[in-house]
Amino acid sequence: GSGASAGITRVKVDTRDGLGGYRVLVAGANGTVSGPAVTAVQANIDLHKNKTDTATVVAATDRPVTVTATVYAPGGLSAAQLLELGIRLTDLAATVPIAGTLYISDIYAELSRTLDDGTVIDHVELVAPVANVVLTATEVVTITPALTGASA
């Protein structure tokens, strides 16, 4: 449908007013989406909603989170290996729903998994975030990796 072609991967309906009015928050895999994507979703909903409903589509707001960590592996990690770990974190962000929670345990899990080349991660020292990141009703998380490799 129009939502998929507009790059929308996450949707949340909220603020129902009990009179047929509601807000639809949308986001893409990389966070907030552009005006044309919002317009495309609005047009699609307007075509299919009940005539008495009033739907307002808005883009979710980015909540930037920098993940700062040192990842230990035998012999340290190359730039390519650190890039792989960074991609894992941005992929993780894409799974967190609008108004959801980014859990530290999920960050550890992504950074601790064996790398594609078979390199086993010894341990991870996570500096930030220091707690689960709970998003507000209109937020979508985006992650900026700040990773360092070290020899275990």
Side-chain angles (χ1 to χ4, degrees):
S2 294
S5 63
I8 305 299
T9 59
R10 292 173 274 185
V11 177
K12 177 180 180 266
V13 178
D14 76 348
T15 62
R16 293 178 179 89
D17 65 8
L19 304 171
Y22 51 93
R23 179 173 62 177
V24 180
L25 292 149
V26 294
N30 296 319
T32 195
V33 292
S34 65
V38 171
T39 302
V41 173
Q42 182 72 61
N44 192 23
I45 288 175
D46 288 345
L47 277 175
H48 298 96
K49 70 177 178 60
N50 290 331
K51 293 188 185 324
T52 57
D53 285 357
T54 305
T56 305
V57 179
V58 295
T61 306
D62 283 339
R63 169 84 173 273
V65 173
T66 299
V67 173
T68 306
T70 302
V71 182
Y72 292 84
L77 295 169
S78 69
Q81 291 169 319
L82 289 171
L83 180 62
E84 178 185 333
L85 291 171
I87 291 168
R88 287 181 182 181
L89 292 177
T90 54
D91 289 349
L92 172 63
T95 69
V96 178
I98 296 167
T101 300
L102 173 63
Y103 293 100
I104 288 181
S105 59
D106 291 339
I107 294 170
Y108 274 112
E110 289 304 319
L111 294 178
S112 299
R113 278 193 297 122
T114 299
L115 298 177
D116 289 346
D117 66 8
T119 298
V120 176
I121 302 302
D122 183 77
H123 68 281
V124 175
E125 289 179 1
L126 185 63
V127 176
V130 296
N132 295 335
V133 179
V134 180
L135 305 176
T136 68
T138 60
E139 288 180 327
V140 62
V141 71
T142 59
I143 293 178
T144 301
L147 305 175
T148 305
S151 185

